[in-house]
Every structure is written in structure tokens, then in C-alpha cells.
Amino acid sequence: LAVSSSWLSIGSDQGNVHFVSVQQFTTSGYVINWNRAINVTQSQRPGSVVQLAEHPQDSNKLLIGYSSGLLVLWDLRAKAAEARFNYHETLYSFSWHWEGKAFISAHSSGTIVTWALNQPNRPQSVICPHAGEEEVPDSSQYSFEPIRCVQWLPSKNGESVIVFAGGSRRDSLDAVIDGDEGDSTTPSVTIMRGKRLAVMQMDFPVVTFTTLCTSPYFNGQSS
């Protein structure tokens, strides 16, 4: 649900997007069907809808993320796809840059991909934050758990901050061979400023998180 909007967008496991009025709790006849969102040269279903997010500067545009790795920028007024971004790994999460000119996507191999809206054919960058010096490590030597949730945030000094859950290096390649999705790693949330990482280890697996730009407590102190 976008800020100040009376319409709730709902993505289905079939790949379609529906809209529900939160005031009347009725569905709209407007539906974004998966076969209209994908490229006309393709025929395969792009998977389930993983995430939906309104453009931060233009409420007429909606970014749709599919499990296959496809992301579609949909123009609600024109009822058409404005741009398509495709990465070859399973998509778990994405986050807009606050200016609306770019976004990042998080994938199954522990990678974060940066996309510019004016360059949909190839990403600006692909990094694996927990791979150390290697931006994209050799998959035959190491494997990393999926990054399941990601947020791209501004800071007071102008430096961007990326917060994400998951992405840690697995103990061995056995996790990949056995189809393990990351039980051999310690659950964590990572804060990344540039190339600097601050890792918070958790006692239990992280499902999702949200960030607060200001303290919810009076004078910054808890009661």
C-alpha cells in the first residue's frame, strides 16, 4: 500500500497483480497479467510476484519483481511495461533509490545488483558483499546464502547505506549440492556503507525487517 493511496496492490503466485480498494474492500477490474508484463518474445511464466513497490517520485509507476529474476517497471496510466530488467538468478527482494532513478535487487547467490532506469539491458554493478575482495566470487569454491530482504537508505552525510538480511558465506559447497538454503550459516543482518560492513548476528532466521529513519522514542531515549 503506497503512502496516502486508497488502493492496495497484491501480487499472486501466478504472476498477476491485482488492486483492492482499502475503503470498500472490493477488487478493481484493473489487472496486470503476467503475459502482458513480460517481453512479447517470451512465453514462459516469470514466476510468482515476490515484491511490489511504487516509484518514489511517480505514483503512476509500479515496480514488479518476479521470482525468476525479472523486474518490470509498469506504467499504470499507459497500462504497459515501460522497462524490463532481467537477472539470471532467483529474486528475493528489491529496493528503490530514494531519487527514483535506480534500484537494487537481491538474489539467491548472495548478490546485490544495481540497476539504472535508463539502462535496463544490463546492470550497473553486481556485488557479493560478504565475498571480501571479490565482487563476484568463483561459485566453484564458495557459496553464499540468499539475500532475503534489502533496503537502500540515505544518510546525513550523503553516503548511501544498504541494509540486508542473509548473504553470508556457507560453511561448504555441500549446502548447494544438497539443496540447503542456508541452514549452515548464522542468521544475520548486515549494514553496508561503501565497502564497510557491520554484521549483526541473530539467534533466529530473519524473515524480514524494516528501517526507521528517526527514533520512535522521545528525545531518542526509550521509556
Side-chain angles (χ1 to χ4, degrees):
L1 179 66
V3 177
S4 73
S5 174
S6 59
W7 290 96
L8 177 68
S9 54
I10 300 175
S12 73
D13 62 351
Q14 297 298 309
N16 303 321
V17 179
H18 304 266
F19 297 87
V20 175
S21 170
V22 296
Q23 296 176 343
Q24 301 177 353
F25 208 69
T26 55
T27 57
S28 167
Y30 191 120
V31 179
I32 304 174
N33 293 305
W34 67 267
N35 57 347
R36 293 195 60 196
I38 64 175
N39 195 302
V40 293
T41 61
Q42 298 175 328
S43 59
Q44 188 174 0
R45 191 185 300 273
S48 59
V49 176
V50 173
Q51 187 176 341
L52 300 164
E54 181 183 282
H55 189 289
Q57 303 295 332
D58 187 351
S59 60
N60 183 55
K61 296 177 182 178
L62 182 71
L63 188 60
I64 309 168
Y66 295 94
S67 59
S68 64
L70 174 69
L71 297 108
V72 177
L73 182 62
W74 185 266
D75 188 316
L76 293 168
R77 187 175 292 112
K79 298 182 179 181
E82 181 175 305
R84 297 178 179 89
F85 311 81
N86 200 5
Y87 196 65
H88 59 273
E89 293 178 1
T90 301
L91 174 72
Y92 278 83
S93 179
F94 67 80
S95 179
W96 279 107
H97 186 277
W98 53 95
E99 292 180 347
K101 297 179 181 179
F103 64 90
I104 54 177
S105 57
H107 297 271
S108 55
S109 67
T111 52
I112 294 177
V113 182
T114 303
W115 301 92
L117 292 194
N118 60 1
Q119 188 179 315
N121 293 330
R122 59 188 179 92
Q124 284 190 317
S125 68
V126 180
I127 63 170
C128 184
H130 283 290
E133 295 298 322
E134 297 180 271
E135 289 191 348
V136 181
D138 183 355
S139 60
S140 65
Q141 296 183 14
Y142 303 110
S143 68
F144 296 81
E145 68 168 335
I147 293 179
R148 302 181 183 279
C149 185
V150 66
Q151 290 193 17
W152 197 358
L153 306 169
S155 63
K156 291 182 179 180
N157 63 4
E159 184 181 34
S160 64
V161 177
I162 295 176
V163 184
F164 59 91
S168 299
R169 194 173 88 176
R170 289 184 169 123
D171 293 338
S172 70
L173 282 177
D174 294 339
V176 177
I177 297 172
D178 296 338
D180 185 358
E181 290 199 353
D183 292 339
S184 60
T185 63
T186 301
S188 64
V189 173
T190 302
I191 301 174
M192 181 169 67
R193 290 175 176 264
K195 293 186 177 181
R196 304 188 305 275
L197 302 180
V199 181
M200 298 177 290
Q201 294 186 340
M202 314 299 289
D203 292 331
F204 301 98
V206 179
V207 176
T208 188
F209 64 83
T210 188
T211 54
L212 300 175
C213 294
T214 57
S215 172
Y217 304 113
F218 182 72
N219 289 334
Q221 297 180 352
S222 60
S223 56

